[in-house]
Amino acid sequence: MAPNMVEPKDPIVAALKKDVLDTVAPNLCHGTVPLDPSEGALFYKDGKSESSCYIQRLVEASERATFGRNNEDVLDESYRKAWKMDISQFASQFDVSKTGILDIVHDQLLHYSKSTKNLEAHLYKLNVYGPGSFFKPHVDTPRSDKLFATLVVVLPTVHAGGNLLLGENGALLNFDSAKQVYDPEAKAPRVAFVAFYSDIEHQVLPVESGYRSLSSASFTTVLKSFATAIASPSILPKGGALGFGLLYRYPIDPKNTNLREFTGALKGNDALLRAYGEDISDLYGDGVPLKKKMRDAGGKLVLPVVWVTQPSKM
């Protein structure tokens, strides 16, 4: 341990660490990836021949969606109204293993460097939610003893409504895929995804228009914990900094990388934690931002550090 490192024994720091880890090592994750039009085709069997995807024809070729109840597949459109295709009936050019989605899910849901397990995604079904479609609150029925999470991939179809709510009434996440499947700046389609532990209750709100085809927790608590820790006279009474070890792997050599430029390439929750630091700059209580102190010292200012989350080999 470095001589200037302060052991985080203060209960306020312990509370901050818990809030940070509860946020950055969650039981769900979500995001988007760009979709190359040449890799987005969907093919299906309509009973007569294989067809390229047109939504209305896709619906006509699909079956009413069932759901698991007491180890049985049940059709009850008062509880779930949607269409589905089994994997023997369709194929897609979209390959989730090439998009980086599984890397994100692995780092988030398997708790970063603590897990050496390989993560595989197994295609289960194609679900289509049209106008008036919905799925009431439920927990996924385990289909394998190796299943630990559900990955939902939403293809870029035009729709409104159909939000996926995780937790009771969306307490964990209100996933609005309609706003995520198109990048207004790049004017390009995107694939939206969300992965979550399979014991999390979730529901699909009614689709208002269009079709939704598919094969976040609040950070307010963390911000309050930051403010409490920084204001506490028992933490770093003579000045210093709160340290957060990176939680993602990065393909860099610290000895040969300009770390000042690299901070702009942080991803996921590492970037979010850095954003908190941008907002809370006065760690000294003397009105001088930390960034200015380090810049004035040539970036080599030695400070006592309370490591909220420990640095790792990553």
Side-chain angles (χ1 to χ4, degrees):
M1 181 177 293
N4 66 328
M5 186 182 294
V6 179
E7 194 67 37
K9 297 179 179 179
D10 191 290
I12 295 177
V13 177
L16 173 59
K17 178 179 179 180
K18 180 182 183 302
D19 289 338
V20 167
L21 291 180
D22 284 347
T23 301
V24 301
N27 49 10
L28 62 94
C29 63
H30 59 98
T32 62
V33 294
L35 179 66
D36 187 321
S38 66
E39 298 177 350
L42 177 70
F43 300 91
Y44 63 91
K45 293 180 179 179
D46 62 4
K48 299 178 181 179
S49 62
E50 294 185 358
S51 306
S52 62
C53 178
Y54 293 95
I55 293 295
Q56 188 57 48
R57 289 175 61 187
L58 174 65
V59 171
E60 292 171 356
S62 300
E63 301 175 5
R64 296 291 184 178
T66 58
F67 59 93
R69 178 190 289 166
N70 298 326
N71 296 319
E72 294 183 359
D73 285 332
V74 177
L75 177 62
D76 180 354
E77 292 198 335
S78 69
Y79 199 85
R80 184 190 192 187
K81 183 179 180 182
W83 295 269
K84 61 96 174 179
M85 272 193 173
D86 294 325
I87 55 175
S88 61
Q89 299 298 113
F90 74 96
S92 174
Q93 286 183 313
F94 179 75
D95 186 350
V96 70
S97 64
K98 296 180 180 180
T99 62
I101 289 176
L102 292 186
D103 293 334
I104 296 172
V105 174
H106 180 282
D107 283 348
Q108 295 265 16
L109 299 193
L110 293 181
H111 296 175
Y112 314 100
S113 64
K114 293 181 181 179
S115 176
T116 58
K117 298 179 184 294
N118 292 323
L119 185 63
E120 296 180 354
H122 291 262
L123 186 61
Y124 176 53
K125 281 183 180 176
L126 172 70
N127 291 322
V128 181
Y129 288 79
S133 291
F134 63 91
F135 199 170
K136 290 184 177 180
H138 64 284
V139 175
D140 286 339
T141 301
R143 303 287 178 175
S144 166
D145 57 3
K146 295 182 180 180
L147 175 69
F148 84 102
T150 297
L151 172 62
V152 174
V153 175
V154 182
L155 302 178
T157 54
V158 177
H159 64 282
N163 293 32
L164 174 64
L165 303 187
L166 300 186
E168 185 176 359
N169 296 319
L172 294 177
L173 176 69
N174 184 337
F175 183 67
D176 187 354
S177 57
K179 295 181 179 179
Q180 299 187 48
V181 294
Y182 182 76
D183 185 343
E185 294 186 3
K187 296 183 179 180
R190 298 187 299 201
V191 168
F193 70 91
V194 57
F196 52 94
Y197 286 153
S198 297
D199 60 351
I200 293 179
E201 181 184 274
H202 52 286
Q203 63 177 302
V204 178
L205 296 182
V207 175
E208 298 169 11
S209 63
Y211 288 86
R212 174 180 178 268
S213 58
L214 61 143
S215 54
S216 104
S218 171
F219 293 95
T220 303
T221 301
V222 179
L223 287 172
K224 289 181 178 178
S225 295
F226 263 112
T228 300
I230 292 171
S232 173
S234 65
I235 301 173
L236 297 169
K238 297 182 180 180
L242 298 176
F244 298 87
L246 295 176
L247 296 173
Y248 284 94
R249 297 178 180 85
Y250 296 95
I252 67 165
D253 179 357
K255 296 181 180 179
N256 299 311
T257 302
N258 185 329
L259 295 182
R260 185 184 298 275
E261 296 178 358
F262 171 71
T263 55
L266 292 175
K267 59 184 179 180
N269 295 312
D270 289 341
L272 289 174
L273 287 172
R274 177 174 180 268
Y276 293 143
E278 294 286 336
D279 293 335
I280 306 173
S281 58
D282 181 14
L283 298 180
Y284 289 85
D286 59 6
V288 181
L290 174 62
K291 286 201 303 182
K292 184 177 188 305
K293 280 185 174 289
M294 295 193 71
R295 184 168 58 249
D296 293 345
K300 298 180 181 180
L301 187 61
V302 177
L303 304 170
V305 177
V306 171
W307 286 99
V308 181
T309 57
Q310 291 293 322
S312 69
K313 63 183 180 180
M314 294 186 291

